[in-house]
Amino acid sequence: TDEEMRRTLGEGQWSGKQVLGHLIDSALLNRYRIILGLFDPPENFPGALHFNDAQDSWTRVQAYNDYAWADLTQLWTTDYLHIVHMVMHTPDEAAHRLCPATFGASNFVTIDWMVGHVFRHTDFHLQEIYHLVGGPVPNGRAVAEAIEVLQRK
């Protein structure tokens, strides 16, 4: 319910709505990173393509807690399915091209790594949301199926 998704994961942590909002932000940023990697050499990448230090600000300014849960899940589902669609149409030979992302000591990762990261990151945060509502975490299910279950709660 909307009320369940307004609860936070703990003191000073995000609510379920904010976690899903963070995934929406991440999907936008990671899709842009992948597209840049497909077409531009690393020396042409813009500088600030990370939001590690600004995640709370991004989440706060977009007021995700004020969204209806159903609207928020629809927004996320559409964005996520677009990433899946884009990846399905990305040539295999592009997997080793670099895209801009600061993880560890590097400012670049391969497109293949970024696609894997999108799925790992999403899975991690969906587990947080399932934890909030006390439901079992789906195991071995497609993320699209998991979010459909959340939409019905």
Side-chain angles (χ1 to χ4, degrees), residues 52-131:
N52 293 345
D53 297 334
Q55 292 177 36
D56 289 333
S57 297
W58 280 47
T59 300
R60 185 178 55 257
V61 75
Q62 295 179 81
Y64 288 120
N65 269 338
D66 294 340
Y67 264 93
W69 180 243
D71 293 341
L72 199 56
T73 56
Q74 183 61 48
L75 178 60
W76 179 82
T77 301
T78 301
D79 211 15
Y80 193 87
L81 291 176
H82 182 64
I83 288 177
V84 171
H85 174 81
M86 182 184 75
V87 168
M88 299 276 297
H89 289 84
T90 299
D92 290 343
E93 59 271 12
H96 297 293
R97 290 186 57 98
L98 294 178
C99 62
T102 303
F103 287 94
S106 175
N107 288 323
F108 309 105
V109 297
T110 64
I111 289 175
D112 184 55
W113 187 94
M114 180 57 70
V115 169
H117 169 73
V118 167
F119 289 97
R120 289 185 301 272
H121 182 245
T122 299
D123 182 60
F124 171 80
H125 286 301
L126 287 179
Q127 288 185 36
E128 289 180 321
I129 293 170
Y130 272 91
H131 178 74

Coordinates of all heavy atoms in Angstrom, one line a residue, residues 52-131:
N52 N 26.8 9.4 -6.8 CA 27.0 8.7 -5.5 C 26.8 9.6 -4.3 O 26.2 9.3 -3.4 CB 28.4 8.0 -5.5 CG 28.5 6.9 -6.5 OD1 27.5 6.4 -7.0 ND2 29.7 6.4 -6.7
D53 N 27.4 10.8 -4.4 CA 27.3 11.7 -3.3 C 26.0 12.5 -3.3 O 25.7 13.2 -2.3 CB 28.5 12.7 -3.4 CG 29.8 12.0 -3.2 OD1 29.8 10.9 -2.6 OD2 30.8 12.6 -3.7
A54 N 25.2 12.4 -4.4 CA 24.0 13.3 -4.5 C 22.7 12.4 -4.5 O 21.7 13.0 -4.7 CB 24.1 14.1 -5.7
Q55 N 22.8 11.1 -4.2 CA 21.6 10.3 -4.3 C 20.5 10.8 -3.4 O 19.3 10.8 -3.8 CB 22.0 8.8 -4.0 CG 22.9 8.2 -5.0 CD 23.3 6.8 -4.6 OE1 22.5 6.1 -4.0 NE2 24.5 6.4 -4.9
D56 N 20.8 11.2 -2.2 CA 19.8 11.7 -1.3 C 19.1 12.9 -1.9 O 17.9 13.1 -1.8 CB 20.4 11.9 0.1 CG 20.7 10.6 0.8 OD1 20.1 9.6 0.6 OD2 21.6 10.7 1.7
S57 N 20.0 13.8 -2.4 CA 19.4 15.0 -3.0 C 18.5 14.7 -4.2 O 17.4 15.3 -4.3 CB 20.6 15.9 -3.5 OG 21.3 16.3 -2.3
W58 N 19.0 13.8 -5.1 CA 18.1 13.5 -6.2 C 16.8 12.9 -5.8 O 15.7 13.3 -6.3 CB 18.8 12.4 -7.1 CG 19.9 12.8 -8.0 CD1 20.9 13.7 -7.7 CD2 20.1 12.5 -9.3 NE1 21.8 13.8 -8.8 CE2 21.3 13.1 -9.8 CE3 19.4 11.6 -10.2 CZ2 21.7 12.9 -11.1 CZ3 19.9 11.5 -11.5 CH2 21.0 12.1 -11.9
T59 N 16.8 12.1 -4.7 CA 15.6 11.5 -4.2 C 14.7 12.5 -3.6 O 13.5 12.5 -3.8 CB 16.0 10.3 -3.3 OG1 16.8 9.4 -4.0 CG2 14.7 9.6 -2.7
R60 N 15.3 13.4 -2.8 CA 14.5 14.4 -2.1 C 13.8 15.4 -3.0 O 12.7 15.7 -2.9 CB 15.4 15.1 -1.1 CG 14.6 16.1 -0.2 CD 15.5 16.8 0.8 NE 16.7 17.5 0.2 CZ 18.0 17.0 0.3 NH1 18.2 15.9 0.9 NH2 18.9 17.7 -0.3
V61 N 14.6 15.9 -4.0 CA 14.1 16.9 -4.9 C 13.0 16.4 -5.8 O 12.1 17.2 -6.2 CB 15.2 17.6 -5.7 CG1 15.7 16.7 -6.8 CG2 14.8 18.9 -6.3
Q62 N 12.9 15.1 -6.0 CA 11.9 14.5 -6.9 C 10.7 14.1 -6.1 O 9.7 13.6 -6.7 CB 12.5 13.4 -7.7 CG 13.5 14.0 -8.7 CD 14.1 12.9 -9.5 OE1 13.6 12.5 -10.5 NE2 15.3 12.4 -9.1
A63 N 10.7 14.2 -4.8 CA 9.5 14.0 -3.9 C 8.8 12.6 -4.2 O 7.6 12.6 -4.3 CB 8.6 15.1 -4.0
Y64 N 9.6 11.6 -4.2 CA 9.1 10.3 -4.6 C 8.0 9.8 -3.5 O 7.1 9.1 -3.9 CB 10.2 9.2 -4.7 CG 11.0 9.4 -5.9 CD1 12.3 9.6 -5.9 CD2 10.4 9.3 -7.2 CE1 13.1 9.7 -7.0 CE2 11.1 9.4 -8.4 CZ 12.5 9.6 -8.3 OH 13.2 9.7 -9.4
N65 N 8.1 10.3 -2.3 CA 7.1 9.9 -1.3 C 5.7 10.4 -1.6 O 4.7 9.9 -1.1 CB 7.5 10.3 0.1 CG 8.3 9.2 0.8 OD1 8.2 8.0 0.5 ND2 9.1 9.6 1.8
D66 N 5.7 11.5 -2.4 CA 4.4 12.1 -2.8 C 3.7 11.4 -4.0 O 2.5 11.7 -4.3 CB 4.6 13.6 -3.1 CG 5.0 14.3 -1.9 OD1 4.8 13.8 -0.7 OD2 5.5 15.4 -2.0
Y67 N 4.4 10.5 -4.6 CA 3.8 9.7 -5.7 C 2.8 8.6 -5.2 O 3.1 8.1 -4.1 CB 4.9 9.0 -6.5 CG 5.4 9.6 -7.7 CD1 6.5 10.4 -7.7 CD2 4.8 9.4 -9.0 CE1 7.0 11.0 -8.8 CE2 5.3 10.1 -10.1 CZ 6.4 10.8 -10.0 OH 6.9 11.4 -11.1
A68 N 1.8 8.3 -5.9 CA 1.0 7.1 -5.6 C 1.9 5.9 -6.0 O 2.6 5.9 -7.0 CB -0.3 7.1 -6.4
W69 N 1.9 4.9 -5.1 CA 2.7 3.7 -5.3 C 2.5 3.1 -6.7 O 3.4 2.8 -7.4 CB 2.5 2.7 -4.3 CG 3.3 1.4 -4.4 CD1 2.8 0.2 -4.6 CD2 4.7 1.3 -4.4 NE1 3.9 -0.7 -4.7 CE2 5.0 0.0 -4.5 CE3 5.8 2.2 -4.2 CZ2 6.4 -0.5 -4.6 CZ3 7.1 1.8 -4.2 CH2 7.3 0.4 -4.4
A70 N 1.2 3.0 -7.2 CA 0.9 2.5 -8.5 C 1.6 3.3 -9.6 O 2.1 2.7 -10.6 CB -0.6 2.4 -8.7
D71 N 1.5 4.6 -9.5 CA 2.1 5.4 -10.5 C 3.7 5.3 -10.5 O 4.3 5.2 -11.6 CB 1.8 6.9 -10.3 CG 0.3 7.2 -10.5 OD1 -0.4 6.4 -11.1 OD2 -0.1 8.2 -10.0
L72 N 4.2 5.2 -9.3 CA 5.7 5.0 -9.2 C 6.1 3.7 -9.8 O 7.1 3.7 -10.5 CB 6.1 5.2 -7.8 CG 7.6 5.5 -7.5 CD1 8.0 6.8 -8.2 CD2 7.7 5.6 -6.0
T73 N 5.4 2.6 -9.5 CA 5.8 1.3 -10.1 C 5.7 1.3 -11.6 O 6.5 0.7 -12.3 CB 5.0 0.2 -9.4 OG1 3.6 0.4 -9.6 CG2 5.4 0.0 -7.9
Q74 N 4.6 2.0 -12.1 CA 4.5 2.0 -13.5 C 5.6 2.8 -14.2 O 6.1 2.4 -15.2 CB 3.1 2.7 -13.9 CG 2.8 2.7 -15.4 CD 2.8 1.3 -16.0 OE1 2.1 0.5 -15.4 NE2 3.5 1.1 -17.1
L75 N 6.0 3.9 -13.6 CA 7.1 4.7 -14.1 C 8.4 3.8 -14.2 O 9.1 3.8 -15.2 CB 7.3 5.9 -13.3 CG 8.5 6.8 -13.7 CD1 8.4 7.4 -15.1 CD2 8.6 8.0 -12.7
W76 N 8.7 3.1 -13.0 CA 9.9 2.3 -13.0 C 9.8 1.1 -13.9 O 10.8 0.9 -14.6 CB 10.1 1.8 -11.5 CG 11.3 0.9 -11.5 CD1 12.6 1.3 -11.4 CD2 11.3 -0.5 -11.6 NE1 13.4 0.2 -11.4 CE2 12.7 -0.9 -11.6 CE3 10.3 -1.5 -11.8 CZ2 13.1 -2.2 -11.7 CZ3 10.7 -2.8 -11.9 CH2 12.1 -3.2 -11.8
T77 N 8.7 0.5 -14.0 CA 8.5 -0.7 -14.9 C 8.8 -0.3 -16.4 O 9.5 -1.0 -17.1 CB 7.1 -1.3 -14.8 OG1 6.9 -1.7 -13.4 CG2 7.0 -2.5 -15.7
T78 N 8.2 0.8 -16.8 CA 8.4 1.3 -18.1 C 9.8 1.6 -18.4 O 10.4 1.2 -19.4 CB 7.5 2.5 -18.4 OG1 6.1 2.2 -18.2 CG2 7.7 3.1 -19.8
D79 N 10.5 2.3 -17.5 CA 11.9 2.6 -17.7 C 12.8 1.4 -17.7 O 13.7 1.3 -18.5 CB 12.3 3.6 -16.5 CG 13.4 4.6 -17.0 OD1 13.6 4.7 -18.2 OD2 14.0 5.2 -16.1
Y80 N 12.5 0.5 -16.8 CA 13.3 -0.7 -16.7 C 13.1 -1.6 -18.0 O 14.1 -2.1 -18.6 CB 12.9 -1.5 -15.5 CG 13.9 -2.6 -15.2 CD1 15.0 -2.4 -14.4 CD2 13.7 -3.9 -15.7 CE1 15.9 -3.4 -14.1 CE2 14.6 -4.9 -15.4 CZ 15.7 -4.6 -14.6 OH 16.6 -5.6 -14.4
L81 N 11.9 -1.7 -18.4 CA 11.7 -2.5 -19.6 C 12.3 -1.9 -20.9 O 12.7 -2.6 -21.8 CB 10.2 -2.8 -19.8 CG 9.5 -3.7 -18.8 CD1 8.0 -3.8 -19.0 CD2 10.1 -5.1 -18.8
H82 N 12.4 -0.6 -20.8 CA 13.1 0.1 -22.0 C 14.6 -0.3 -21.9 O 15.2 -0.5 -23.0 CB 12.9 1.6 -21.9 CG 13.6 2.3 -23.0 ND1 13.2 2.1 -24.4 CD2 14.6 3.2 -23.1 CE1 14.0 2.8 -25.1 NE2 14.8 3.5 -24.4
I83 N 15.2 -0.3 -20.8 CA 16.6 -0.7 -20.7 C 16.7 -2.2 -21.2 O 17.7 -2.4 -22.0 CB 17.1 -0.6 -19.3 CG1 17.3 0.8 -18.9 CG2 18.5 -1.4 -19.1 CD1 17.8 1.0 -17.4
V84 N 15.9 -3.0 -20.8 CA 15.9 -4.4 -21.3 C 15.8 -4.4 -22.9 O 16.6 -5.1 -23.6 CB 14.8 -5.3 -20.7 CG1 14.7 -6.7 -21.4 CG2 15.1 -5.4 -19.2
H85 N 14.9 -3.7 -23.4 CA 14.7 -3.6 -24.8 C 15.9 -3.1 -25.5 O 16.4 -3.6 -26.5 CB 13.5 -2.6 -25.1 CG 13.3 -2.3 -26.6 ND1 12.6 -3.2 -27.4 CD2 13.6 -1.2 -27.3 CE1 12.6 -2.6 -28.6 NE2 13.2 -1.5 -28.6
M86 N 16.5 -2.0 -25.0 CA 17.7 -1.4 -25.5 C 18.9 -2.5 -25.5 O 19.6 -2.6 -26.5 CB 18.1 -0.2 -24.7 CG 19.4 0.5 -25.3 SD 19.9 1.9 -24.3 CE 20.6 1.1 -22.9
V87 N 19.0 -3.2 -24.4 CA 20.1 -4.1 -24.3 C 19.9 -5.3 -25.3 O 20.9 -5.8 -25.9 CB 20.2 -4.7 -22.9 CG1 21.1 -5.9 -22.8 CG2 20.7 -3.6 -21.9
M88 N 18.7 -5.7 -25.5 CA 18.4 -6.8 -26.4 C 18.7 -6.4 -27.9 O 19.0 -7.2 -28.7 CB 16.9 -7.1 -26.4 CG 16.4 -7.6 -25.0 SD 16.7 -9.4 -24.7 CE 15.7 -10.1 -25.9
H89 N 18.8 -5.1 -28.1 CA 19.1 -4.6 -29.5 C 20.5 -4.0 -29.6 O 20.8 -3.4 -30.6 CB 18.1 -3.5 -29.9 CG 16.7 -4.1 -30.2 ND1 15.8 -4.3 -29.2 CD2 16.2 -4.5 -31.3 CE1 14.7 -4.9 -29.7 NE2 14.9 -5.0 -31.0
T90 N 21.3 -4.3 -28.6 CA 22.7 -3.9 -28.6 C 23.5 -5.0 -29.2 O 23.4 -6.1 -28.7 CB 23.2 -3.5 -27.2 OG1 22.4 -2.4 -26.6 CG2 24.6 -3.1 -27.1
P91 N 24.4 -4.7 -30.1 CA 25.2 -5.8 -30.8 C 26.1 -6.4 -29.7 O 26.7 -5.7 -28.9 CB 26.0 -5.1 -31.9 CG 25.5 -3.6 -31.9 CD 24.6 -3.4 -30.7
D92 N 26.3 -7.7 -29.8 CA 27.2 -8.4 -28.9 C 28.6 -7.8 -28.9 O 29.3 -7.8 -27.9 CB 27.3 -9.9 -29.3 CG 26.0 -10.6 -29.0 OD1 25.1 -10.1 -28.2 OD2 25.8 -11.7 -29.5
E93 N 29.1 -7.4 -30.1 CA 30.5 -6.9 -30.1 C 30.6 -5.6 -29.4 O 31.8 -5.2 -29.1 CB 30.9 -6.7 -31.6 CG 30.1 -5.8 -32.4 CD 28.9 -6.5 -33.1 OE1 28.6 -7.6 -32.8 OE2 28.3 -5.8 -34.0
A94 N 29.6 -5.0 -28.9 CA 29.7 -3.7 -28.1 C 30.0 -4.0 -26.7 O 30.3 -3.1 -25.9 CB 28.4 -2.9 -28.3
A95 N 29.9 -5.2 -26.2 CA 30.0 -5.6 -24.8 C 31.3 -5.1 -24.2 O 31.3 -4.7 -23.0 CB 29.9 -7.1 -24.6
H96 N 32.3 -5.0 -24.9 CA 33.6 -4.6 -24.3 C 34.0 -3.1 -24.5 O 35.0 -2.7 -24.1 CB 34.8 -5.5 -24.9 CG 34.6 -6.9 -24.5 ND1 34.7 -7.3 -23.2 CD2 34.2 -8.0 -25.2 CE1 34.4 -8.6 -23.1 NE2 34.1 -9.1 -24.3
R97 N 33.0 -2.4 -25.1 CA 33.2 -0.9 -25.2 C 33.1 -0.3 -23.9 O 32.4 -0.8 -23.0 CB 32.2 -0.3 -26.2 CG 32.4 -0.7 -27.6 CD 31.5 0.1 -28.5 NE 31.6 1.5 -28.4 CZ 32.3 2.3 -29.2 NH1 33.0 1.8 -30.2 NH2 32.4 3.6 -29.0
L98 N 33.8 0.8 -23.7 CA 33.8 1.5 -22.4 C 32.6 2.5 -22.3 O 32.2 3.1 -23.3 CB 35.1 2.2 -22.1 CG 36.3 1.3 -22.0 CD1 37.6 2.2 -21.8 CD2 36.2 0.4 -20.8
C99 N 32.1 2.5 -21.1 CA 31.1 3.6 -20.8 C 31.5 4.3 -19.5 O 32.2 3.7 -18.7 CB 29.7 3.0 -20.7 SG 29.3 1.8 -19.5
P100 N 31.1 5.6 -19.4 CA 31.5 6.4 -18.2 C 30.8 6.0 -16.9 O 29.6 6.1 -16.9 CB 31.2 7.8 -18.6 CG 30.0 7.6 -19.6 CD 30.2 6.3 -20.3
A101 N 31.6 5.6 -16.0 CA 31.0 5.3 -14.6 C 32.2 5.1 -13.7 O 33.1 4.5 -14.0 CB 30.2 4.0 -14.7
T102 N 32.0 5.8 -12.5 CA 33.1 5.7 -11.5 C 32.7 4.7 -10.5 O 31.8 4.8 -9.7 CB 33.3 7.1 -10.8 OG1 33.5 8.1 -11.8 CG2 34.4 7.1 -9.8
F103 N 33.4 3.6 -10.6 CA 33.3 2.5 -9.6 C 34.7 2.1 -9.2 O 35.5 1.7 -10.1 CB 32.6 1.3 -10.2 CG 31.1 1.5 -10.4 CD1 30.6 2.0 -11.6 CD2 30.2 1.3 -9.4 CE1 29.2 2.2 -11.8 CE2 28.9 1.5 -9.5 CZ 28.4 2.0 -10.7
G104 N 35.0 2.2 -7.9 CA 36.4 1.9 -7.5 C 37.3 3.0 -8.0 O 37.0 4.2 -8.0
A105 N 38.4 2.6 -8.5 CA 39.5 3.5 -8.9 C 39.3 3.9 -10.4 O 40.0 4.7 -10.9 CB 40.8 2.9 -8.7
S106 N 38.4 3.3 -11.1 CA 38.2 3.5 -12.5 C 37.1 4.5 -12.8 O 36.1 4.5 -12.1 CB 38.0 2.2 -13.3 OG 37.7 2.4 -14.6
N107 N 37.2 5.3 -13.9 CA 36.2 6.1 -14.4 C 35.4 5.5 -15.5 O 34.5 6.2 -16.1 CB 36.7 7.5 -14.8 CG 37.2 8.3 -13.6 OD1 36.5 8.3 -12.6 ND2 38.3 9.0 -13.8
F108 N 35.7 4.3 -15.9 CA 35.1 3.6 -17.0 C 34.8 2.1 -16.6 O 35.6 1.5 -15.9 CB 36.0 3.6 -18.3 CG 36.5 5.0 -18.6 CD1 37.8 5.4 -18.4 CD2 35.6 5.9 -19.2 CE1 38.2 6.6 -18.7 CE2 36.1 7.2 -19.5 CZ 37.4 7.5 -19.3
V109 N 33.8 1.6 -17.2 CA 33.5 0.2 -17.1 C 33.0 -0.3 -18.5 O 32.7 0.6 -19.3 CB 32.4 -0.1 -16.0 CG1 32.8 0.3 -14.6 CG2 31.1 0.5 -16.4
T110 N 33.0 -1.6 -18.7 CA 32.5 -2.1 -20.0 C 31.0 -2.0 -20.0 O 30.4 -2.1 -18.9 CB 33.0 -3.5 -20.3 OG1 32.4 -4.4 -19.3 CG2 34.5 -3.6 -20.3
I111 N 30.4 -2.0 -21.2 CA 29.0 -2.0 -21.3 C 28.5 -3.3 -20.7 O 27.5 -3.3 -20.0 CB 28.6 -1.9 -22.8 CG1 28.8 -0.4 -23.2 CG2 27.1 -2.3 -23.0 CD1 28.5 -0.1 -24.7
D112 N 29.2 -4.4 -20.9 CA 28.8 -5.7 -20.3 C 28.7 -5.6 -18.8 O 27.8 -6.1 -18.2 CB 29.8 -6.8 -20.8 CG 29.4 -8.2 -20.3 OD1 28.3 -8.6 -20.6 OD2 30.2 -8.8 -19.6
W113 N 29.7 -5.0 -18.2 CA 29.7 -4.8 -16.7 C 28.5 -4.0 -16.3 O 27.9 -4.3 -15.3 CB 31.0 -4.2 -16.3 CG 31.2 -4.2 -14.8 CD1 31.8 -5.1 -14.0 CD2 30.6 -3.2 -13.9 NE1 31.6 -4.8 -12.7 CE2 31.0 -3.6 -12.6 CE3 29.9 -2.0 -14.1 CZ2 30.6 -2.8 -11.4 CZ3 29.6 -1.3 -12.9 CH2 29.9 -1.7 -11.7
M114 N 28.3 -2.9 -17.0 CA 27.2 -2.0 -16.6 C 25.9 -2.7 -16.7 O 25.0 -2.5 -15.8 CB 27.2 -0.7 -17.6 CG 26.1 0.3 -17.2 SD 26.1 0.9 -15.5 CE 27.6 1.9 -15.5
V115 N 25.6 -3.5 -17.7 CA 24.4 -4.2 -17.8 C 24.2 -5.1 -16.7 O 23.1 -5.2 -16.0 CB 24.3 -4.9 -19.2 CG1 23.1 -5.9 -19.2 CG2 24.2 -3.9 -20.3
G116 N 25.3 -5.8 -16.3 CA 25.2 -6.7 -15.1 C 24.9 -5.9 -13.9 O 24.2 -6.4 -13.0
H117 N 25.6 -4.8 -13.8 CA 25.4 -3.9 -12.6 C 23.9 -3.5 -12.5 O 23.4 -3.4 -11.4 CB 26.3 -2.7 -12.7 CG 26.0 -1.7 -11.6 ND1 26.3 -1.8 -10.3 CD2 25.3 -0.5 -11.7 CE1 25.8 -0.8 -9.6 NE2 25.3 0.1 -10.5
V118 N 23.3 -3.1 -13.6 CA 21.9 -2.7 -13.5 C 21.0 -3.8 -12.9 O 20.2 -3.5 -12.0 CB 21.4 -2.3 -15.0 CG1 19.9 -2.2 -15.0 CG2 22.1 -1.1 -15.5
F119 N 21.2 -5.0 -13.3 CA 20.4 -6.1 -12.7 C 20.8 -6.4 -11.3 O 19.9 -6.6 -10.5 CB 20.6 -7.4 -13.6 CG 19.9 -7.2 -14.9 CD1 20.6 -6.9 -16.1 CD2 18.5 -7.5 -15.0 CE1 20.0 -6.7 -17.3 CE2 17.9 -7.3 -16.2 CZ 18.6 -7.0 -17.4
R120 N 22.1 -6.4 -10.9 CA 22.5 -6.6 -9.5 C 21.9 -5.5 -8.6 O 21.4 -5.8 -7.5 CB 24.0 -6.7 -9.4 CG 24.6 -8.0 -10.0 CD 26.1 -8.0 -9.8 NE 26.9 -6.9 -10.3 CZ 27.3 -6.8 -11.5 NH1 27.1 -7.8 -12.4 NH2 28.0 -5.8 -11.9
H121 N 22.1 -4.3 -9.1 CA 21.7 -3.1 -8.3 C 20.1 -3.2 -8.1 O 19.6 -2.9 -7.0 CB 22.1 -1.9 -9.0 CG 21.8 -0.6 -8.3 ND1 20.9 0.3 -8.9 CD2 22.2 -0.1 -7.2 CE1 20.8 1.3 -8.0 NE2 21.6 1.2 -7.0
T122 N 19.4 -3.5 -9.1 CA 18.0 -3.6 -9.1 C 17.5 -4.7 -8.1 O 16.7 -4.5 -7.2 CB 17.4 -3.8 -10.5 OG1 17.7 -2.7 -11.3 CG2 15.9 -3.9 -10.4
D123 N 18.1 -5.8 -8.2 CA 17.8 -7.0 -7.3 C 18.0 -6.6 -5.9 O 17.2 -6.8 -5.0 CB 18.6 -8.2 -7.7 CG 18.3 -9.4 -6.9 OD1 17.1 -9.8 -6.9 OD2 19.2 -9.9 -6.2
F124 N 19.2 -5.9 -5.6 CA 19.5 -5.5 -4.2 C 18.4 -4.6 -3.6 O 17.9 -4.9 -2.5 CB 20.8 -4.8 -4.2 CG 21.1 -4.2 -2.8 CD1 21.6 -5.0 -1.8 CD2 20.9 -2.8 -2.6 CE1 21.9 -4.4 -0.6 CE2 21.2 -2.3 -1.4 CZ 21.7 -3.1 -0.4
H125 N 18.0 -3.6 -4.4 CA 17.0 -2.7 -3.9 C 15.6 -3.3 -3.9 O 14.8 -2.9 -3.0 CB 17.0 -1.4 -4.7 CG 18.3 -0.5 -4.3 ND1 18.5 -0.1 -3.1 CD2 19.3 -0.1 -5.1 CE1 19.6 0.6 -3.0 NE2 20.1 0.6 -4.3
L126 N 15.2 -4.1 -4.8 CA 13.9 -4.8 -4.7 C 13.8 -5.6 -3.5 O 12.7 -5.7 -2.9 CB 13.6 -5.6 -6.0 CG 13.3 -4.8 -7.2 CD1 13.1 -5.7 -8.4 CD2 12.1 -3.8 -7.0
Q127 N 14.9 -6.3 -3.1 CA 14.9 -7.0 -1.8 C 14.6 -6.1 -0.7 O 13.9 -6.5 0.3 CB 16.2 -7.8 -1.7 CG 16.3 -8.9 -2.7 CD 17.6 -9.8 -2.4 OE1 18.0 -10.0 -1.3 NE2 18.2 -10.3 -3.5
E128 N 15.1 -4.9 -0.7 CA 14.8 -4.0 0.4 C 13.3 -3.7 0.5 O 12.7 -3.6 1.6 CB 15.6 -2.7 0.2 CG 17.1 -2.8 0.4 CD 17.8 -1.4 0.2 OE1 17.4 -0.7 -0.7 OE2 18.7 -1.1 1.0
I129 N 12.7 -3.5 -0.7 CA 11.3 -3.2 -0.7 C 10.5 -4.3 -0.2 O 9.6 -4.2 0.6 CB 10.9 -2.7 -2.2 CG1 11.5 -1.4 -2.5 CG2 9.4 -2.6 -2.3 CD1 11.4 -1.0 -4.0
Y130 N 10.8 -5.5 -0.7 CA 10.1 -6.7 -0.2 C 10.3 -6.9 1.3 O 9.3 -7.2 2.1 CB 10.6 -8.0 -0.9 CG 9.9 -8.3 -2.1 CD1 10.3 -7.8 -3.3 CD2 8.7 -9.0 -2.1 CE1 9.6 -8.0 -4.5 CE2 8.0 -9.2 -3.3 CZ 8.5 -8.8 -4.5 OH 7.8 -9.0 -5.6
H131 N 11.4 -6.5 1.9 CA 11.7 -6.6 3.3 C 10.7 -5.6 4.0 O 10.2 -6.0 5.1 CB 13.1 -6.3 3.6 CG 13.5 -6.2 5.0 ND1 13.6 -7.4 5.8 CD2 13.7 -5.2 5.9 CE1 13.9 -7.0 7.1 NE2 13.9 -5.7 7.1

